[in-house]
């Protein structure tokens, strides 16, 4: 599996025949100035954890251009269809459900956050419940993108049910758990081989580094991977 981080919570995952973009916030992302076109090349799937602008990002443009499959909750899927995304290329689900994505499955799990898309004059469009996404591959490690969330005790059930080995973990505080709490979540509830911190360093009001998370993970036996923005690592 190859993983590329584009800052904030945006990732590209390459596993088998699938090229998956998760929360592709690529235009307006302070950490990434490379646009969406190159990132989207060869994309087969776009997965969204929730409806906030800094996660939906460039999804409409990417989906229209690539013909990739959209995997998200029902409300997000239908909202993006209203923006011109093909209704034949959506694969909606909701918390507790698993969908077959062709080459891998995605399970929607809980996250403690909110989910809406901003509009004119401060209006917000409700876009369902926020979630995390667990990706199961036939010949690769199981990956869990937590979305935006705080710690919660049912993370223990997510580990029991899915045994994820790769965790993409928000650590930036204010809108998600901070680094120390994120480290507690990983150590108490999971047996990850590798964790990749995210949702930090992009906007001034969230933590600018993952240092608190790294310090909290010391001695855990779990590898903390810290790719540079735009860097591809192998897992």
């Amino acid at each position: 599996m190859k993983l590329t981080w584009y800052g904030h919570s945006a990732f590209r995952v390459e596993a088998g025949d699938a090229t998956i973009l998760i929360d592709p916030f690529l235009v307006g992302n302070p950490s990434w100035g490379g646009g969406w076109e190159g990132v989207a090349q060869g994309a087969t799937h776009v997965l969204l954890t929730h409806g906030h602008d800094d996660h939906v990002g460039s999804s409409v443009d990417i989906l229209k251009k690539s013909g990739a499959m959209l995997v998200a909750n029902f409300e997000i899927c239908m909202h993006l269809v209203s923006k011109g995304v093909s209704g034949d290329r959506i694969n909606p689900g909701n918390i507790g459900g698993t969908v077959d994505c062709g080459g891998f499955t995605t399970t929607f799990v809980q996250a403690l956050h909110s989910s809406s898309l901003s509009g004119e004059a401060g209006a917000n469009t409700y876009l369902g419940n926020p979630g995390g996404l667990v990706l199961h591959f036939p010949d690769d490690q199981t990956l869990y993108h937590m979305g935006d969330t705080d710690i919660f005790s049912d993370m223990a059930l997510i580990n029991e049910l899915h045994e994820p080995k790769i965790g993409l973990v928000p650590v930036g505080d204010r809108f998600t758990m901070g680094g120390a709490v994120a480290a507690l979540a990983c150590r108490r509830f999971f047996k990850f081989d590798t964790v990749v911190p995210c949702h930090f360093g992009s906007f001034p009001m969230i933590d600018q580094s993952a240092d608190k998370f790294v310090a909290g993970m010391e001695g855990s036996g779990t590898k903390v991977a810290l790719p540079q923005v735009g860097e591809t690592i192998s897992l």
Side-chain angles (χ1 to χ4, degrees):
M1 178 187 296
K2 293 182 179 179
L3 182 78
T4 309
W5 181 50
Y6 294 100
H8 210 57
S9 293
F11 289 91
R12 176 178 166 121
V13 179
E14 298 171 67
D17 294 329
T19 298
I20 306 156
L21 303 183
I22 306 177
D23 288 355
F25 176 42
L26 300 168
V27 175
N29 178 348
S31 297
W32 172 255
W36 62 266
E37 293 87 349
V39 178
Q41 223 170 19
T44 57
H45 300 77
V46 173
L47 275 56
L48 300 177
T49 61
H50 64 290
H52 285 157
D53 305 71
D54 58 332
H55 293 260
V56 174
S58 304
S59 295
V60 171
D61 289 332
I62 292 168
L63 290 160
K64 287 180 178 179
K65 176 76 173 181
S66 66
M69 175 188 291
L70 171 62
V71 181
N73 71 35
F74 180 79
E75 290 86 352
I76 292 174
C77 284
M78 299 316 297
H79 181 72
L80 296 195
V81 167
S82 78
K83 301 297 181 182
V85 170
S86 172
D88 294 329
R89 297 295 296 159
I90 61 172
N91 195 356
N94 214 323
I95 306 302
T98 298
V99 296
D100 187 346
C101 300
F104 68 100
T105 63
T106 299
T107 301
F108 297 81
V109 297
Q110 180 182 1
L112 297 181
H113 196 58
S114 54
S115 178
S116 63
L117 199 63
S118 61
E120 295 181 3
N124 284 289
T125 300
Y126 163 76
L127 288 178
N129 291 322
L133 302 171
V134 181
L135 280 58
H136 287 275
F137 302 93
D139 300 308
D140 229 319
Q141 294 176 303
T142 297
L143 181 148
Y144 173 29
H145 191 308
M146 293 185 180
D148 283 5
T149 191
D150 189 16
I151 191 174
F152 54 94
S153 59
D154 279 352
M155 286 178 166
L157 284 175
I158 294 172
N159 182 67
E160 182 180 346
L161 291 167
H162 300 285
E163 299 182 332
K165 293 303 178 184
I166 300 168
L168 309 182
V169 185
V171 304
D173 215 339
R174 186 177 288 263
F175 300 110
T176 71
M177 55 190 170
V181 174
L184 175 63
C186 292
R187 297 180 72 133
R188 177 168 295 184
F189 297 124
F190 296 99
K191 296 178 181 178
F192 292 123
D193 290 339
T194 305
V195 288
V196 182
C198 62
H199 210 279
F200 71 91
S202 46
F203 296 104
M205 63 175 57
I206 62 176
D207 285 355
Q208 295 302 294
S209 77
D211 291 350
K212 296 174 186 176
F213 179 71
V214 173
M217 292 300 294
E218 285 183 5
S220 66
T222 297
K223 177 182 177 181
V224 179
L226 290 166
Q228 297 297 309
V229 174
E231 178 186 1
T232 300
I233 59 174
S234 295
L235 299 168

